[in-house]
Amino acid sequence: MTSQTSRAPVSQSPSQPPILLREQVGDIAVLTLNRPSTRNSLSEGLIAALTAQLRHIHDDASVRAVVIAASGKAFSAGHDIKELTGRRSDADRGRAYFAEIMTACSTMMQTIVHLPKPVVAAVQGIATAAGCQLVATCDLAIASEAATFATPGVDIGLFCSTPMVALTRNIPRKQAMEMLLTGEPISATTARDIGLVNHVVPAGHERDAAIKLARKVARKSAHTIRIGKRAFYRQAEMSLAEAYRYAAEVMTENMMARDAEEGIGAFIEKREPKWQDK
C-alpha cells in the first residue's frame, strides 16, 4: 500500500474555489465538502459534484475506501435554505425545484449505500438536517469531541423527513423521535452512545482517525467487502426468515470465491493472505 498523497479540486472556476475537493491518500479517496462560508450546506451543485465523484469511484480499482470530510468549522448544515427559498418566486412556488433537489439528495445518499466500498465520515463540527443524514448514511463515522448532531427542521416548520430515513436506520426509535421532534442537538459522545458514530476523537484528529479506520477495511479483500456491504443493507430490510435465507445464499456464494479459499487457507497455514479481489 502506498502512502502517496495527492490533492486536487474536483472542478475549478476562475471566480470561486471548488465546492468539492478530492484527495488520494494511498488507496483512500478523501472527498472534502468545500463550502465553509455556507457551513458546507448541500447546494444543488455540491450534491451533483458529490454524486458524480461517488459514481466515478464505484469502478475505480485504485480506490478501496472513501472518507467524506469537510472544510471549516461545520461538517454540513444541511440543505442550502437560501438556494431553496430563492425559488419561491417560481410559478409553482418552487414545488418542482424542491422535488428535484430532494430527489437528487436522496439519490446521492443511496449512491453511498450502493457504493461497493466502505465510506467513512470525518465529522469535525456541526452536522445538522441533511448534514446529519449524510453522516448517518455513511457506513462508518468518526466524530470530533467538538461535533454536534441535530435534525432541527421542526424549529422552522420543516420536519426532517428525508434525514429521518437514514437516522432511523442507525439509532433506536425513541432517540430518533426525540431528535426529530425537538430539534435539539446531541453531543458527539451521545451520538456514539446511541450508534450514530463509531468513535469520538480529540478535535483536529477526526480526519486522520477516519483515514486510519478506512485503511483497516481497505486491507481486506475488496471482493469480500463488496459482498458484505451489499448483503448488510439488503438483509436489513427483510424479515428474519428472509434475511437468514438470503444470508445463507450469500455465504454459499462467498465460500466459492477465490479470496475466501485463499483467506481460509492462509488462516489454517498461519500466514498472511494474498488477495486477488475475486
Side-chain angles (χ1 to χ4, degrees), residues 1-135:
M1 181 183 298
T2 177
S3 60
Q4 183 179 2
T5 300
S6 61
R7 186 180 182 91
V10 170
S11 60
Q12 184 67 57
S13 168
S15 60
Q16 59 185 10
I19 58 178
L20 183 69
L21 301 173
R22 174 170 173 175
E23 182 178 355
Q24 193 75 17
V25 183
D27 51 15
I28 311 300
V30 181
L31 304 179
T32 303
L33 312 182
N34 193 40
R35 302 185 73 219
S37 63
T38 68
R39 298 192 297 173
N40 295 309
S41 59
L42 299 176
S43 65
E44 179 181 359
L46 184 51
I47 290 170
L50 189 51
T51 302
Q53 275 301 303
L54 291 166
R55 287 175 173 167
H56 177 75
I57 287 168
H58 188 282
D59 298 316
D60 186 346
S62 72
V63 176
R64 298 179 73 88
V66 178
V67 169
I68 297 180
S71 301
K73 296 181 179 180
F75 178 76
S76 176
H79 285 289
D80 190 326
I81 298 298
K82 290 183 178 179
E83 183 179 72
L84 293 174
T85 301
R87 301 301 291 265
R88 287 288 191 189
S89 58
D90 291 359
D92 63 353
R93 297 181 56 239
R95 176 183 289 274
Y97 183 71
F98 302 156
E100 179 184 336
I101 290 297
M102 297 307 161
T103 299
C105 188
S106 296
T107 297
M108 184 264 288
M109 300 294 177
Q110 291 177 80
T111 302
I112 293 173
V113 173
H114 296 149
L115 192 73
K117 304 167 187 188
V119 181
V120 186
V123 189
Q124 85 284 22
I126 65 164
T128 58
C132 185
Q133 178 186 3
L134 179 56
V135 177

Side-chain angles (χ1 to χ4, degrees), residues 162-222:
T162 45
M164 172 184 69
V165 174
L167 196 64
T168 55
R169 283 162 169 75
N170 274 249
I171 69 175
R173 290 188 177 187
K174 290 294 191 293
Q175 282 82 1
M177 281 296 283
E178 184 172 352
M179 289 182 69
L180 291 162
L181 292 174
T182 69
E184 292 291 322
I186 62 171
S187 68
T189 300
T190 298
R192 180 196 61 203
D193 291 345
I194 64 176
L196 183 57
V197 304
N198 297 87
H199 305 286
V200 177
V201 298
H205 293 268
E206 61 286 335
R207 182 180 179 279
D208 288 342
I211 292 173
K212 182 178 179 180
L213 181 57
R215 279 178 173 154
K216 285 184 179 180
V217 184
R219 295 190 189 105
K220 316 300 181 183
S221 159

